[in-house]
Amino acid sequence: MSHDSTTATESADEYLTFALGEEEYGVEILKVQEIRGYDTVTRLPDAPDYIKGVINLRGTIVPVIDMRLKFRLAKAEYNALTVMIVLNVADRVVGMVVDSVSDVIRLGAEQIRPVPEIGATIDRQFITGIGTAAERMLILLEIERLMTSAEMGLVAHANAA
């Protein structure tokens, strides 16, 4: 096996890391518009349980997703650390509630591993890979694909390229 390390690309992406339970996740920092404390949302009738409702963000009505409920994790009480990450995906502003935000981490291509085959027990289509940095492991989300999926129902119809 010979690898030509001199031609390795210097490309690295930055990810905002956040926690849901015991796991750490990452989303591309370029998709993040802002980070806010959790505010009360206006609940919408007949919405799926993972859609907490909507907020008025400086005149823009923003749907808010509880990522714990979306990923079928145990419900957690909202506290002072509960954070809403406001994302800009597919020309739409969407909020997602997470347990806490950690930091921004830079990952090179060599630090991102493919998602292992685990049968049909998890839906891998919304995971781009597993990021590794020192002793940390991050589940890297394909957040635009997740938020624009028909399953979420947040975007009228995603522009499939």
Side-chain angles (χ1 to χ4, degrees):
M1 285 201 301
S2 68
H3 294 285
D4 189 0
S5 62
T6 58
T7 60
T9 60
E10 297 273 333
S11 70
D13 292 320
E14 290 185 319
Y15 295 87
L16 175 69
T17 65
F18 60 92
L20 288 173
E22 301 293 318
E23 311 306 328
E24 267 196 300
Y25 294 80
V27 293
E28 280 182 73
I29 193 74
L30 295 176
K31 306 285 185 204
V32 177
Q33 179 174 311
E34 65 183 85
I35 301 167
R36 309 168 44 97
Y38 179 75
D39 279 335
T40 305
V41 299
T42 302
R43 185 97 180 124
L44 298 173
D46 204 27
D49 61 344
Y50 56 84
I51 296 182
K52 296 299 295 176
V54 294
I55 62 167
N56 184 345
L57 182 66
R58 295 181 291 278
T60 301
I61 303 302
V62 176
V64 177
I65 311 301
D66 185 320
M67 297 305 282
R68 276 185 166 271
L69 297 178
K70 177 61 190 149
F71 291 157
R72 290 182 243 149
L73 301 173
K75 211 171 190 172
E77 293 296 319
Y78 292 174
N79 60 34
L81 294 178
T82 304
V83 173
M84 183 184 311
I85 301 173
V86 179
L87 303 162
N88 201 325
V89 290
D91 296 326
R92 181 86 194 256
V93 180
V94 178
M96 67 179 192
V97 179
V98 300
D99 293 351
S100 64
V101 169
S102 305
D103 57 359
V104 175
I105 189 168
R106 188 176 182 90
L107 294 176
E110 72 282 355
Q111 293 174 289
I112 300 175
R113 305 285 194 273
V115 181
E117 295 283 340
I118 311 177
T121 56
I122 63 167
D123 191 351
R124 302 173 347 148
Q125 67 175 323
F126 305 123
I127 302 174
T128 53
I130 305 293
T132 57
E135 298 192 10
R136 295 171 70 183
M137 283 192 21
L138 302 169
I139 300 168
L140 303 177
L141 296 178
E142 179 64 60
I143 201 68
E144 187 152 336
R145 180 179 288 174
L146 174 63
M147 293 298 180
T148 60
S149 68
E151 173 188 327
M152 290 292 256
L154 295 175
V155 176
H157 65 95
N159 293 333

